[in-house]
Amino acid sequence: MASAALASRALPPPPRHCARRPRAPPTTAPRPRRGCAAAARPARCRAVAADERPADPSIPEGEDGALSGEAERPEADVVVIGSGIGGLCCAGLLARYNQDVLVLESHDRPGGAAHSFDIKGFNFDSGPSLFSGFQSRGPQANPLAQVLDALGESVPCASYDSWMVYVPEGQFLSRIGPTDFLKDLDEFVGADAVQEWKKLLDAVIPISAAAMALPPLSIRGDLGVLSTSAGRYAPSLLKSILQMGPQGALGATKLLRPFSEIVDSLGLKNPFVRNWIDLLCFLLAGVKSDGALSAEMVYMFAEWYKPGCSLEYPLEGSGAIIDALVRGIKKFGGRLALRSHVEKILIENGRAVGVKLQSGQIVRARKAVVSNASMWDTLDLLPPDAVPRSYQDKVKATPQCESFMHLHLGFDVENAREDLGIHHIVVNDWNKGVDADQNVVLISVPTVLGNGLAPPGKHVLHAYTPGTEPFSLWEGLDRKSAEYRRLKEERSEVMWKAVELALGPRFSREKCDVKLVGSPLTHKRFLRRNRGTYGPAIKAGEATFPGQATPIPQLFCCGDSTFPGIGVPAVAASGAIVANTLVSVSQHSELLDAVGRQICG
C-alpha cells in the first residue's frame, strides 16, 4: 500500500538500483519474473472467480511441509520465521555477515504482504505498490536501498512524478516536488493553502537533515550503536543541528512526538492542508497526524517535496523486490524453505533454541530465532509459561489497525481511458476521516509504465481500502457461504466505483478477464495475520513500538510490530537492526565501510 512508500532521492546519473526511463511505456517488455507465464500468454483470458486463487498458501494437501532441497539441513545459526520484507532484509544481511541463516516461510512463495501472484498470465501485486527511493545512494539512503546495496542487488524501475487524486474538492494530478504541488494547491484549493504548505516545508526541510543524519544501516539494538551510529556519524548530525538554527533545533526535539504537534505549532488551519497531511500520515504510518511519528513524516516530506524527486515502480512488479532480496540471501549462502509452516518456537532453559514445523520436524537455531510474524502471531507461537505475564498483557492490549478489501482486475487497455496514470487515490468524504471504513480507496495500474506484467494489450489493476476494513464484520463467516459472497459483493462496491471513476466511461466490469475480490479473511488466511490486521495502531506520544529484543533470550522480532513501525522503510530498517545486533561491532563496522566504498566506487 501507499504507506509502504520509500523516501526518494533522485541523483544524476542514475545508479544501478533504478535505471531512469522515459514516461512513455518501454518499447520492449522487461524480462518476465521467474515463474510467470509471460512467455506464452494468451491473447485473451476468461474471467477468473475470486476463489480460483490457490486455496491454501501454506502446506498443500498431501505434503507434510518438511524441509527439502537446499534447505533440508534442519539447523542454522539463525532461524527467521517468515519472509516478509523485514525477514528477508534481516536474513540477507545475516548471510552477508557470513552467518548460516535459514528463512522458514509458510506460504508457497516468499514476500509476505509484498508477494506477487500470477493468474492466467496477469501478474498482480498483493500489497505495496507506491515506491520511491531505489535511486537513493550514500549514507542517507532509505533502509531497503541500503540493504540492496549491501547485497549487491538491483531493482530496475520506471520513474514518474505524479498520481491522480479524487477528493471532495475535485480531481487533479498531484505532482511531487516543491513547486509543482504548490501550483496544484493554488489552482484547486487556493492561495491560503499554498502559503500554509510553504510554511510547513520551510519548517520540515531543515529538520529532515537531523532525521536523516544517522543512516538506518548503522543502527543496532545494543550499546554498540554508540560506535556504529552515534560515534561514526556524530559530526554530520551536529552539523545538521547547527545549520537548523534555533527554530529548527526546537523542531528537531519533536521528532519522537506526534507530527500534529509540528503542524499545530505552525498554526496551520486550512482544512484541505490538514486533511492532506492526515491522509499522507495514514497511508504511511497507519494513523493520522495526531499519532504519526514526526521523524517518519519529516523524512517522507523532505524526500517527496525536494527538487528532483521521483516515484518509482519496479518494472517486473513488486515481486522483483522480493526476488532481489532472495537472490542476495542465496548469493551469500543463506537458505529459504517455502511451505514450511512454523507451529511453535522451542524454548529450553528459558532461551529460544529453534522451532517446530507443522510437519513435526525440529529446526535448531544455534544463535537466535527471529520472528517476522506480527506481535500477536509471535505470541501464539510461544509456550505461555515461557512468556512473562506483563509482556503477554502488553501485546494483547496493543491496538490494531483494521484489515483490507482488495480488488484485482485484468482487462483490455481499450477498457480504460487513454491517458490512464499508474496511481489513483480516492477520498469520498473528508468529514468521515481518512481512517473511516469505505472512505479511501487506492488504485495501482502498473502496466501503464510497461507491458511485462500482463498479456499484450492488457492491464493489471490492484485496488484496496488501506487498512480500514473492520475484521469484526467478517469474523466467523464461512468462506463458502452465500452470506460471505454477499458481503464481499457489498463491501467491494466502493472499490468498483473508485475504479470506474479512475478508468473513465470506457470501463466495463463485464469486460474484465480477471476479477478477484479479497476480504479480511483472505488477508488473514494468505498472510497468516492475526485478524488480517495491517499492523499495530501505536500512536506517537502515547506509546512506542517495542524494540527488536524480547523478554526471552535469543528471540528477536522484526517487521511492522517493532521499531520503527509500519511501512516498507520501517520494516526494512527493523530487519537490518536485528541482523546488526546479532553480529559483533567490528563486523558491523566492516560492512558499513564496505558499503561506503561500494557506493563511492
Side-chain angles (χ1 to χ4, degrees), residues 269-334:
K269 299 184 183 301
N270 182 275
F272 180 87
V273 170
R274 296 297 300 235
N275 285 326
W276 187 255
I277 291 170
D278 272 344
L279 177 64
L280 294 178
C281 289
F282 185 73
L283 296 179
L284 184 67
V287 289
K288 294 191 294 186
S289 61
D290 61 354
L293 190 68
S294 289
E296 189 173 10
M297 297 311 302
V298 164
Y299 182 82
M300 186 280 293
F301 267 77
E303 292 305 310
W304 277 19
Y305 295 104
K306 277 184 177 180
C309 295
S310 68
L311 298 169
E312 297 145 359
Y313 182 81
L315 286 175
E316 298 178 12
S318 64
I321 300 171
I322 305 306
D323 287 347
L325 291 170
V326 171
R327 285 196 307 269
I329 291 170
K330 294 183 176 181
K331 177 194 304 182
F332 291 100

Side-chain angles (χ1 to χ4, degrees), residues 56-327:
D56 191 341
S58 55
I59 302 172
E61 292 185 16
E63 297 188 27
D64 62 6
L67 300 184
S68 61
E70 63 180 13
E72 65 182 352
R73 183 159 41 88
E75 63 176 359
D77 291 334
V78 181
V79 171
V80 178
I81 303 170
S83 66
I85 287 179
L88 293 178
C89 286
C90 178
L93 288 179
L94 285 169
R96 178 71 167 77
Y97 283 128
N98 202 31
Q99 301 294 299
D100 179 16
V101 60
L102 171 60
V103 182
L104 300 173
E105 171 55 53
S106 180
H107 204 302
D108 61 359
R109 66 204 71 192
H115 79 274
S116 61
F117 62 94
D118 197 87
I119 296 288
K120 304 300 180 181
F122 293 87
N123 188 262
F124 293 103
D125 295 334
S126 66
S129 57
L130 182 62
F131 297 99
S132 58
F134 289 109
Q135 296 185 90
S136 298
R137 308 304 300 277
Q140 293 182 354
N142 72 73
L144 180 55
Q146 288 203 329
V147 172
L148 290 170
D149 269 330
L151 299 179
E153 290 295 333
S154 62
V155 180
C157 301
S159 297
Y160 60 103
D161 62 3
S162 61
W163 66 83
M164 278 299 300
V165 176
Y166 308 83
V167 292
E169 291 85 351
Q171 59 186 60
F172 61 93
L173 185 69
S174 176
R175 294 161 292 181
I176 65 172
T179 57
D180 286 336
F181 186 63
L182 290 175
K183 295 176 183 176
D184 296 335
L185 285 176
D186 188 41
E187 180 177 357
F188 294 99
V189 185
D192 179 59
V194 173
Q195 293 305 313
E196 289 201 359
W197 194 258
K198 284 182 178 179
K199 192 174 183 180
L200 177 64
L201 293 185
D202 288 344
V204 164
I205 299 301
I207 302 173
S208 69
M212 299 165 65
L214 300 178
L217 198 60
S218 71
I219 301 174
R220 51 190 294 130
D222 57 21
L223 291 177
V225 72
L226 297 176
S227 172
T228 61
S229 187
R232 178 181 285 251
Y233 299 102
S236 61
L237 176 60
L238 180 59
K239 180 180 178 181
S240 299
I241 293 175
L242 292 175
Q243 289 177 339
M244 287 190 294
Q247 187 65 30
L250 179 62
T253 64
K254 298 180 179 179
L255 287 175
L256 298 181
R257 300 290 300 168
F259 190 58
S260 60
E261 293 188 5
I262 292 179
V263 176
D264 291 341
S265 70
L266 297 172
L268 306 187
K269 299 184 183 301
N270 182 275
F272 180 87
V273 170
R274 296 297 300 235
N275 285 326
W276 187 255
I277 291 170
D278 272 344
L279 177 64
L280 294 178
C281 289
F282 185 73
L283 296 179
L284 184 67
V287 289
K288 294 191 294 186
S289 61
D290 61 354
L293 190 68
S294 289
E296 189 173 10
M297 297 311 302
V298 164
Y299 182 82
M300 186 280 293
F301 267 77
E303 292 305 310
W304 277 19
Y305 295 104
K306 277 184 177 180
C309 295
S310 68
L311 298 169
E312 297 145 359
Y313 182 81
L315 286 175
E316 298 178 12
S318 64
I321 300 171
I322 305 306
D323 287 347
L325 291 170
V326 171
R327 285 196 307 269

